[in-house]
């Protein structure tokens, strides 16, 4: 009997040990909560937005002489706080008009009364192809400031956003003397130390160029056109272009006159220069 009792006690002890061992393994396999880390919260920002006179997409109303705009799929608006930190990106509800609702997620919630800056695209105007489509997809830089009015749970609302374009759009129509159309391969617009180079892609000749320029006041503007072997210029003083406005300019260009000739001998062939720019090489 004693032998049997000892066997029973050992069996019971082993059974208890098995239970505790199994429980311990299961507990170690449970996923552990990260220590010292808080769960990330996502906040939804909603903004009623209105674009300015010239923003994506762009089409010219030739009757009223204005640029019409509308929001399109794929447009993105970045959100920044007062310290310049990017908080997130908003996307618009597709609209055939200049007004829409922007919405998106932010990882950090601003406080009520905080001022946020909304930015659409960036201001890179150095090289363009002379079309409204290019301006719409590359140069249509616009900004707006909104104030946070309410933060409820994960929802953020602000004052309406009135976007202001950070460039003017100028439609240059080139003419020769006698009001004859002048088609060229490239147009350069010089304002002070800034040069905008405009060339159709693929290369072709045209007499009409849409150009996005940063606004300026009472500056000298020089147009230089390359017609492929012939050059034309036009200069105007005290010119003002305001951001957010559309201008139509008809420019009568003047052929560039021969200012100097440089002959370097027969080998290589003599080189002829018009106003410092190489035009032809005699053969």
């Amino acid at each position: 009997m004693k032998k049997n009792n000892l066997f029973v006690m050992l069996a019971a002890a082993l059974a208890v040990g098995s239970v505790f061992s199994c429980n311990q393994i299961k507990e170690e396999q449970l996923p552990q909560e990260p220590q010292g880390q808080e769960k990330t919260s996502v906040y939804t920002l909603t903004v009623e937005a209105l674009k300015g006179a010239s923003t994506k997409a762009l089409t010219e109303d030739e009757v009223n002489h204005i640029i019409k705009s509308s929001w399109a799929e794929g447009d993105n608006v970045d959100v920044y706080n007062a310290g310049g930190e990017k908080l997130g990106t908003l996307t618009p509800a597709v609209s055939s008009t200049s007004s829409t609702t922007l919405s998106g997620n932010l990882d950090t919630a601003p406080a009520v009364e905080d001022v946020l800056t909304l930015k659409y695209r960036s201001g890179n105007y150095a090289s363009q192809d002379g079309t409204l489509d290019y301006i719409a997809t590359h140069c249509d830089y616009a900004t707006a400031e909104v104030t946070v009015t309410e933060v409820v749970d994960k929802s953020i609302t602000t004052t309406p956003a009135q976007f202001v374009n950070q460039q003017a759009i100028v439609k240059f129509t080139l003419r020769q003397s006698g009001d004859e159309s002048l088609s060229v391969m490239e147009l350069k617009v010089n304002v002070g130390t800034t040069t905008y180079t405009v060339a159709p892609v693929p290369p072709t000749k045209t007499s009409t160029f849409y150009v996005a320029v940063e606004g300026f006041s009472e500056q000298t503007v020089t147009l230089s056109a390359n017609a492929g072997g012939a050059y034309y210029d036009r200069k105007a003083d005290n010119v003002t272009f305001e951001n957010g406005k559309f201008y139509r300019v008809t420019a009568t260009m003047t052929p560039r006159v021969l200012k100097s000739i440089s002959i370097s001998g027969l080998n290589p062939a003599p080189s002829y220069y018009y106003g410092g720019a190489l035009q032809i090489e005699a053969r």
Side-chain angles (χ1 to χ4, degrees), residues 63-84:
V63 176
N64 298 310
H65 305 305
I66 61 174
I67 297 292
K68 289 185 175 181
S69 63
S70 61
W71 292 91
E73 184 178 359
D75 287 351
N76 290 318
V77 175
D78 293 327
V79 184
Y80 297 84
N81 62 18

Side-chain angles (χ1 to χ4, degrees), residues 1-277:
M1 291 294 294
K2 288 183 179 180
K3 186 175 182 179
N4 291 338
N5 289 339
L6 179 60
F7 178 78
V8 171
M9 291 175 64
L10 288 172
L14 290 172
V16 172
S18 298
V19 171
F20 282 126
S21 176
C22 185
N23 285 345
Q24 186 177 4
I25 291 173
K26 287 182 179 179
E27 184 175 348
E28 289 175 352
Q29 289 177 340
L30 292 175
Q32 301 296 312
E33 289 289 336
Q35 299 298 317
Q37 295 183 8
E38 296 181 0
K39 293 182 179 179
T40 301
S41 297
V42 176
Y43 301 85
T44 300
L45 174 62
T46 303
V47 181
E48 296 300 320
L50 179 66
K51 284 191 175 182
S54 52
T55 46
K56 189 183 187 312
L58 304 179
T59 55
E60 182 183 0
D61 182 338
E62 295 187 357
V63 176
N64 298 310
H65 305 305
I66 61 174
I67 297 292
K68 289 185 175 181
S69 63
S70 61
W71 292 91
E73 184 178 359
D75 287 351
N76 290 318
V77 175
D78 293 327
V79 184
Y80 297 84
N81 62 18
E85 177 187 3
K86 182 178 175 179
L87 302 181
T89 300
L90 309 180
T91 56
V94 177
S95 170
S96 59
T97 68
S98 60
S99 62
T100 191
T101 299
L102 301 172
S103 61
N105 295 333
L106 309 183
D107 291 333
T108 303
V112 173
E113 300 298 331
D114 278 2
V115 176
L116 306 178
T117 299
L118 310 181
K119 295 184 179 181
Y120 176 77
R121 300 207 182 280
S122 61
N124 184 6
Y125 313 114
S127 298
Q128 304 174 42
D129 74 359
T131 66
L132 282 177
D133 285 344
Y134 184 91
I135 294 175
T137 55
H138 294 79
C139 312
D140 192 18
Y141 181 41
T143 63
E145 285 192 350
V146 297
T147 302
V148 178
T149 56
E150 189 176 55
V151 180
V152 178
D153 295 329
K154 304 296 184 182
S155 181
I156 306 165
T157 55
T158 71
T159 55
Q162 175 68 57
F163 280 86
V164 178
N165 289 92
Q166 302 303 306
Q167 76 290 126
I169 295 179
V170 187
K171 179 183 179 181
F172 290 101
T173 302
L174 307 185
R175 294 283 187 268
Q176 302 183 64
S177 58
D179 202 33
E180 181 182 351
S181 178
L182 174 63
S183 294
V184 301
M185 300 173 59
E186 180 186 79
L187 175 68
K188 290 189 176 182
V189 182
N190 299 281
V191 183
T193 59
T194 302
T195 299
Y196 304 91
T197 301
V198 190
V201 178
T204 186
K205 287 187 177 183
T206 181
S207 60
T208 301
F209 295 83
Y210 292 90
V211 186
V213 300
E214 293 183 272
F216 57 87
S217 178
E218 297 182 355
Q219 296 289 318
T220 297
V221 176
T222 302
L223 304 180
S224 301
N226 177 4
Y231 286 78
Y232 298 80
D233 301 293
R234 178 64 187 269
K235 179 180 177 181
D237 297 320
N238 299 318
V239 177
T240 296
F241 290 147
E242 295 182 22
N243 286 340
K245 292 191 175 182
F246 172 53
Y247 297 85
R248 297 181 304 135
V249 175
T250 299
T252 301
M253 308 294 288
T254 302
R256 188 177 299 176
V257 298
L258 177 64
K259 293 183 178 179
S260 63
I261 298 178
S262 175
I263 301 177
S264 56
L266 297 178
N267 191 12
S271 300
Y272 296 84
Y273 292 81
Y274 288 75

